Amino acid sequence: MGVQLLLEHLNKPEINTIDGYIKQGGYRTLDKVLGKMTPDEVTEEVKTAGLRGRGGAGFPTGMKWSFLDKSTDKPRYLLCNADESEPGTFKDRLLMEKIPHLLIEGMIVSSYALGCRTSYIYIRGEYMFILRILEKAIKEAYAKGFLGENIKGSGYSLDLYVHPGAGAYICGEETALIESLEGKRGNPRIKPPFPAVSGLWGCPTIVNNVESIAAVVPILNMGGSEYAKIGIGRSTGTKLISASGNINKPGVYEIELGLPVEEFIYSDEYCGGIKGGLDIKACVPGGSSVPILPKSLLFKESNGNPRLMSYESLSEGGFETGSMLGSGGFIVYDEKQCIVKNTWTFARFYHHESCGQCSPCREGTIWLDKVLYNIEHGLGKESDIDLLWDIQHGIEGNTICPLGDAAAWPVAAAIRHFRHEFEYHVKYPHRVKDDDHVYQPEMNYTTA
Amino acid sequence: MDVQFSQESINEINRIIAQYPKERKKSALLPVLHVVQKETNGWLSVDTMDKVADILAIKPIEVYEVVTFYTMYFTKPVGKYVIEVCQTGPCMICGSDKIVSYLESKLGIKVGETTSDNIFTLRTVECLGACGYAPMLQIGEQYYENLTEERIDQIIHELGSTYSDKY
């Protein structure tokens, strides 16, 4: 295992309790930061660390913090985005379930940096069992005087609450999250104004992913410049990767950014290779929204260099030959998997999750779902493949929030790299009518 | 019809309301609906929603529009246990289709239906964040992961046998 900053103490006894967490050096940053460093100094450390948002977009966290409008008297809010819903992603869940105090510690020092007196963790409603874990941990933190009035005599006060959603992927989009926290439907807002100026209840607000906030703790412990030495180039630090699909060892792994993709898939330390000794067909490296990569593009960049687990390397070549690191939802497909069927389940997902506010997304996701259903179930026509291409093109870039793009990209990439599978489905409908079809030896699946 | 909540729920509702600024009571809507739905047999009637509107001092429409937006609230009666099987990509490639058909034949109902004794409702849902432990399903607040047919037999027996011999 490489360097472990977030999961280092994962298997230590009682790490889920405050005493077990303190025993491993937890809550040290409170002494180091509160009343000792200025809020701006904390922000500077996060900037120096080069931490990029771990929720998917990869926007520099410190820079996001510096956009917070400090010119008004209004209260400021830090909202933790724990609405983890991107298919293939289950890393924040592990962090909150097993080491809840790491997130709470991160929330305290981050709220201090932003000057917040009240902060919220917005967690997806299906994670209600984790909400209970977090509320218990927060109670422990209050009892120790790490939350509430005058934390550890520093003069700084903070209240922290957990707010559940109720089953809506869209609430992971920051303005939809804010709407939802205000007790409304999760319809994303038109930007500007950005939340940093006008967010929760019209006040300056910062929304950060669970993993980003947790990473602030090791950054402050080791110093931003030390953190920046880990990783590669502008992809600094470590990243939690949720590995799923047809691999021997699915689960959450903390990797140092820059690890070769091939090593991540085949090393026994990580995924442990493909289940049943099969060949790999494709991989979605960053959650369902990012383009799928066929085996031929997965291990090497276009210049022949090995492809690495980093923001830059995974997106090398743009969407023609690359993808994105995204949320780190790493889904692996063996040679027997049907790309059309997989693409259809993703399209169905986005159809289900579109908030319905923008026509291109509301109507387009329905069409993508229906046309892909037809192709998958042996009811497709050859013209449907070009139709799919037109529909996704009509959605991309034409919506208020990125859900439209997220629905379009997986369809575009599947057609770009696996058009032959779509053609096969429309050419031999009788062979794909059976629900169990996964692989037809007549077609060459492995060379894309 | 006047809906009454238990003292326990009322205490919980008050605790939740206190988490938001006084003039932002509406923010408590989603968590309060979770508490209330649990008490009213797992679904929200119009009377219940009106009562929630009353408690939070908002218009009934503000409750209805939220309830119909989010997938975790039900506006029609459901069984005692709602079985929600994840069917998105990562679960699908690990065999969620087979889990759904097994449950359908075991319970004698189709997706979206409730058993005639009102014990089980079967639904399919989109990604629940358990992709590494697929296939999986959720019942209430509990996740059941790495499912097999034997494990499903066990779960149905554990939950259903107190109510009926057929489980």
Side-chain angles (χ1 to χ4, degrees):
Chain A
M1 262 319 147
V3 51
Q4 302 282 291
L5 301 178
L6 302 174
L7 302 183
E8 187 185 357
H9 303 301
L10 181 64
N11 297 313
K12 301 282 164 59
E14 301 191 323
I15 192 68
N16 59 334
T17 67
I18 197 158
D19 291 326
Y21 181 69
I22 291 172
K23 206 175 265 176
Q24 302 303 331
Y27 287 108
R28 262 183 302 162
T29 58
L30 267 49
D31 297 319
K32 192 172 175 181
V33 171
L34 305 184
K36 307 273 169 54
M37 289 168 76
T38 66
D40 285 346
E41 281 169 351
V42 180
T43 305
E44 269 318 302
E45 287 297 330
V46 176
K47 272 190 189 169
T48 310
L51 175 67
R52 292 167 70 176
R54 301 298 196 222
F59 190 81
T61 305
M63 195 188 291
K64 195 177 196 179
W65 287 9
S66 65
F67 295 154
L68 188 74
D69 182 7
K70 293 179 178 156
S71 64
T72 81
D73 298 338
K74 290 180 187 171
R76 304 166 197 159
Y77 294 100
L78 171 63
L79 308 181
C80 171
N81 186 346
D83 191 57
E84 181 169 66
S85 312
E86 172 86 2
T89 315
F90 47 98
K91 64 184 176 74
D92 296 339
R93 175 186 160 192
L94 178 92
L95 211 57
M96 295 186 286
E97 227 181 318
K98 305 289 184 191
I99 325 175
H101 287 285
L102 181 62
L103 175 61
I104 295 168
E105 183 179 356
M107 284 300 284
I108 298 168
V109 288
S110 304
S111 300
Y112 174 79
L114 297 165
C116 309
R117 294 288 308 265
T118 306
S119 293
Y120 295 92
I121 299 170
Y122 181 102
I123 191 164
R124 65 180 298 182
E126 293 91 338
Y127 282 178
M128 199 59 90
F129 61 103
I130 303 177
L131 174 137
R132 315 260 180 238
I133 293 171
L134 288 171
E135 285 194 336
K136 185 167 166 268
I138 286 173
K139 223 175 178 174
E140 288 179 319
Y142 270 104
K144 286 259 192 242
F146 297 168
L147 281 169
E149 290 297 315
N150 192 14
I151 299 170
K152 298 192 103 180
S154 65
Y156 177 65
S157 306
L158 176 71
D159 284 316
L160 178 61
Y161 303 109
V162 192
H163 178 104
Y169 168 75
I170 190 60
C171 293
E173 195 279 335
E174 60 181 16
T175 60
L177 184 152
I178 291 169
E179 287 283 303
S180 183
L181 217 159
E182 292 182 356
K184 303 177 198 155
R185 297 164 74 99
N187 287 351
R189 296 176 180 171
I190 293 172
K191 297 190 261 194
F194 287 90
V197 176
S198 177
L200 182 63
W201 305 313
C203 301
T205 304
I206 295 291
V207 185
N208 285 140
N209 174 257
V210 172
E211 189 188 344
S212 310
I213 290 172
V216 172
V217 175
I219 286 171
L220 291 173
N221 274 327
M222 68 202 299
S225 52
E226 280 304 303
Y227 184 90
K229 287 179 190 161
I230 302 165
I232 183 164
R234 287 181 55 235
S235 297
T236 62
T238 62
K239 173 94 189 78
L240 298 180
I241 304 291
S242 324
S244 67
N246 310 118
I247 48 177
N248 284 317
K249 290 172 59 197
V252 177
Y253 298 98
E254 182 171 11
I255 60 152
E256 181 172 348
L257 286 165
L259 182 81
V261 173
E262 194 161 7
E263 187 181 337
F264 183 69
I265 293 177
Y266 288 103
S267 159
D268 283 336
E269 263 185 71
Y270 304 107
C271 302
I274 310 302
K275 228 181 209 164
L278 293 172
D279 198 3
I280 185 172
K281 183 199 254 185
C283 173
V284 173
S288 61
S289 310
V290 311
I292 192 167
L293 285 179
K295 183 188 175 190
S296 58
L297 297 172
L298 185 58
F299 301 126
K300 288 216 181 334
E301 295 178 359
S302 55
N303 53 20
N305 290 338
R307 202 182 279 281
L308 310 176
M309 305 282 284
S310 72
Y311 292 97
E312 291 75 22
S313 184
L314 276 172
S315 58
E316 192 275 337
F319 282 1
E320 286 304 311
T321 58
S323 181
M324 283 167 79
L325 178 63
S327 64
F330 197 87
I331 315 165
V332 178
Y333 300 85
D334 70 33
E335 58 188 310
K336 290 192 171 180
Q337 297 306 327
C338 174
I339 297 299
V340 176
K341 187 173 183 187
N342 179 67
T343 311
W344 167 54
T345 73
F346 285 170
R348 186 185 57 201
F349 173 84
Y350 292 107
H351 170 194
H352 183 261
E353 301 299 344
S354 174
C355 81
Q357 201 176 193
C358 315
S359 326
C361 175
R362 181 184 62 240
E363 307 302 321
T365 54
I366 297 173
W367 277 71
L368 289 177
D369 180 6
K370 287 186 173 172
V371 174
L372 278 160
Y373 174 93
N374 281 351
I375 298 177
E376 165 60 18
H377 292 85
L379 306 164
K381 305 189 287 281
E382 207 177 332
S383 59
D384 283 345
I385 304 172
D386 291 330
L387 179 62
L388 279 176
W389 188 266
D390 287 347
I391 299 166
Q392 68 79 23
H393 184 68
I395 303 173
E396 190 189 3
N398 293 322
T399 54
I400 291 174
C401 88
L403 191 141
D405 299 342
W409 292 343
V411 175
I415 297 175
R416 187 180 290 125
H417 301 306
F418 295 96
R419 192 177 176 105
H420 53 280
E421 284 199 30
F422 289 83
E423 285 167 349
Y424 181 89
H425 275 69
V426 292
K427 204 165 163 195
Y428 303 106
H430 56 287
R431 289 188 195 154
V432 295
K433 270 194 175 129
D434 174 10
D435 262 355
D436 258 346
H437 83 279
V438 281
Y439 177 68
Q440 304 294 338
E442 295 91 330
M443 64 179 294
N444 188 357
Y445 265 120
T446 43
T447 55
Chain B
M1 198 179 68
D2 196 29
V3 183
Q4 294 296 330
F5 301 136
S6 68
Q7 193 54 45
E8 200 187 338
S9 292
I10 292 170
N11 294 345
E12 181 63 3
I13 289 169
N14 289 333
R15 185 188 71 88
I16 291 167
I17 291 173
Q19 298 183 340
Y20 309 93
K22 277 195 189 66
E23 68 284 12
R24 306 293 182 186
K25 241 181 173 178
K26 183 178 174 177
S27 279
L29 182 54
L30 269 67
V32 165
L33 286 170
H34 283 302
V35 173
V36 167
Q37 179 166 270
K38 214 170 178 180
E39 182 169 339
T40 53
N41 300 317
W43 70 286
L44 299 161
S45 66
V46 171
D47 288 334
T48 307
M49 290 190 276
D50 290 351
K51 176 83 179 173
V52 169
D54 203 32
I55 291 172
L56 297 179
I58 53 178
K59 294 190 211 83
I61 183 73
E62 295 177 81
V63 182
Y64 308 158
E65 65 177 7
V66 159
V67 167
T68 52
F69 183 83
Y70 295 92
T71 55
M72 288 177 73
Y73 303 126
F74 299 100
T75 51
K76 291 200 174 76
V78 289
K80 178 150 187 62
Y81 298 107
V82 181
I83 304 174
E84 303 181 298
V85 187
C86 176
Q87 58 166 357
T88 316
C91 272
M92 182 277 288
I93 64 174
C94 293
S96 61
D97 288 0
K98 290 200 175 70
I99 298 296
V100 172
S101 7
Y102 185 73
L103 276 162
E104 283 184 333
S105 67
K106 186 167 175 71
L107 298 172
I109 51 173
K110 292 277 170 207
V111 169
E113 295 177 351
T114 301
T115 53
S116 55
D117 54 9
N118 292 323
I119 302 300
F120 293 107
T121 297
L122 181 62
R123 296 178 83 203
T124 51
V125 291
E126 301 296 348
C127 193
L128 293 182
C131 319
Y133 325 107
M136 67 81 66
L137 59 82
Q138 178 169 27
I139 301 174
E141 289 188 17
Q142 176 133 17
Y143 274 26
Y144 298 89
E145 300 171 325
N146 299 310
L147 293 175
T148 58
E149 293 185 355
E150 295 72 45
R151 182 77 185 106
I152 287 175
D153 291 344
Q154 258 177 23
I155 296 165
I156 299 298
H157 178 72
E158 266 168 37
L159 299 176
S161 56
T162 8
Y163 304 96
S164 163
D165 289 342
K166 70 178 177 186
Y167 303 116

